[in-house]
Amino acid sequence: MTLQQKVPVTPPAARSRKNVVAPWGLGAALAALLFFVAALVAPQVLATHDPYALDLANALQAPSLAHWFGTDESGRDLYSRVVWGTRDSLLIGIGATAVSLTIALILGAIAALAGKYVAGTVNRVIEVLFAFPTLLLALLLVTVIGPSAFSQVFAVGVGTSPGYARMIRGQILSAKNSGYVEAATALGHSRGRILRHHVIPNAIRPLVAVIALSVGQSIVWASSLAFLGLGVAPPSPEWGALLDAGRLYITQAPWLTVIPGLVIVTLAIAATTIGKHIQASLEKGEK
């Protein structure tokens, strides 16, 4: 028996099927995303109550037809607060993703394209940042800046950037050493033209799927900071702030923590599913 017969090789078609998202899963993810986008654009249409209206007589009511997600310790409708909190949570996630990818693109491009000493220095910086756990690095930054929505965006963006910087560096190096760049060089194209029209676009294109994944991940990290009391101040309905407020009543009114947590998980899963679908589509288009 030959070595090739002993070692099973997974066919390329089988490997590509691992990234294929089931139609029902993609449909559910798109439906969830549509709801969150609607809540972002027009929360007043989806909400059933004023998210800030106090009603102490109905405090800590369990979910019912009158209050779909129950009420909090001040009698405020939790469903309406979740809907209105979508705007803060999504904007924080999108903003953190933009900060993260901007920093990653700058560091990754310098590490891949600069001279030996500059690239080596930037690579060491990336490795040092990458050595810190994301939440720990974000905690350090928020502690220095102070709790606020801006600090959440900045801290999560910086905390998640090292991994993306390494990814972008690898993509740029792969594109720089590809056949089409060698052909463009042979045709006499300038270095700047090759970078603008060949290296950077082809290095960034596979990262489109990463953006969808990063938004959901950034919301999870930002909610973690808010849960630790380092996010938007009450009475903001931002999802992490809802988790932080609900933990004080976890035994008396568990829905105050469980429901916002499920909403965060739902968005993260929906973003991951859509990101995987985009990735599978890009891989299929390259074949």
Side-chain angles (χ1 to χ4, degrees):
M1 182 179 292
T2 64
L3 180 61
Q4 185 176 6
Q5 290 174 321
K6 292 180 181 179
V7 181
V9 178
T10 304
R15 289 197 298 267
S16 64
R17 283 197 295 269
K18 294 179 181 179
N19 292 326
V20 176
V21 179
W24 65 267
L26 179 61
L30 290 174
L33 182 63
L34 180 62
F35 174 84
F36 290 126
V37 170
L40 169 68
V41 176
Q44 66 277 6
V45 175
L46 296 178
T48 57
H49 296 75
D50 183 343
Y52 299 101
L54 303 180
D55 185 8
L56 296 178
N58 289 312
L60 300 179
Q61 294 291 314
S64 63
L65 292 178
H67 300 281
W68 298 345
F69 289 176
T71 61
D72 64 9
E73 70 281 3
S74 299
R76 293 171 295 201
D77 183 71
L78 183 59
Y79 167 75
S80 298
R81 289 180 63 75
V82 167
V83 169
W84 278 92
T86 303
R87 176 174 295 175
D88 291 339
S89 299
L90 273 180
L91 290 180
I92 289 173
I94 294 171
T97 299
V99 171
S100 176
L101 293 180
T102 299
I103 296 173
L105 181 59
I106 294 172
L107 293 179
I110 294 175
L113 301 173
K116 177 180 178 181
Y117 296 105
V118 175
T121 302
V122 173
N123 277 319
R124 298 296 83 76
V125 171
I126 294 174
E127 289 174 1
V128 169
L129 292 175
F130 193 73
F132 283 88
T134 300
L135 185 58
L136 177 59
L137 183 56
L139 279 171
L140 291 174
L141 292 172
V142 172
T143 302
V144 173
I145 301 172
S148 66
F150 169 78
S151 64
Q152 277 182 289
V153 170
F154 181 75
V156 173
V158 173
T160 55
S161 62
Y164 297 132
R166 295 181 67 180
M167 187 184 305
I168 290 174
R169 174 183 175 274
Q171 292 288 344
I172 292 178
L173 287 175
S174 176
K176 188 173 69 170
N177 298 323
S178 62
Y180 53 81
V181 170
E182 293 179 359
T185 303
L187 291 173
H189 293 174
S190 66
R191 178 180 172 86
R193 177 182 174 84
I194 292 174
L195 289 176
R196 290 194 307 271
H197 296 279
H198 299 287
V199 176
I200 299 297
N202 284 283
I204 292 178
R205 193 165 73 95
L207 300 177
V208 174
V210 175
I211 295 176
L213 300 173
S214 181
V215 171
Q217 183 186 52
S218 296
I219 290 175
V220 172
W221 290 124
S223 299
S224 300
L225 292 176
F227 179 74
L228 296 173
L230 298 174
V232 182
S236 169
E238 192 267 330
W239 294 342
L242 294 180
L243 282 174
D244 182 41
R247 66 186 174 88
L248 300 175
Y249 304 91
I250 187 65
T251 57
Q252 185 179 359
W255 57 87
L256 295 180
T257 302
V258 172
I259 292 178
L262 289 176
V263 171
I264 295 171
V265 170
T266 299
L267 178 58
I269 292 175
T272 301
T273 302
I274 293 171
K276 289 182 66 177
H277 176 72
I278 295 174
Q279 183 180 16
S281 299
L282 290 175
E283 291 176 355
K284 184 178 179 180
E286 290 175 354
K287 296 177 180 179

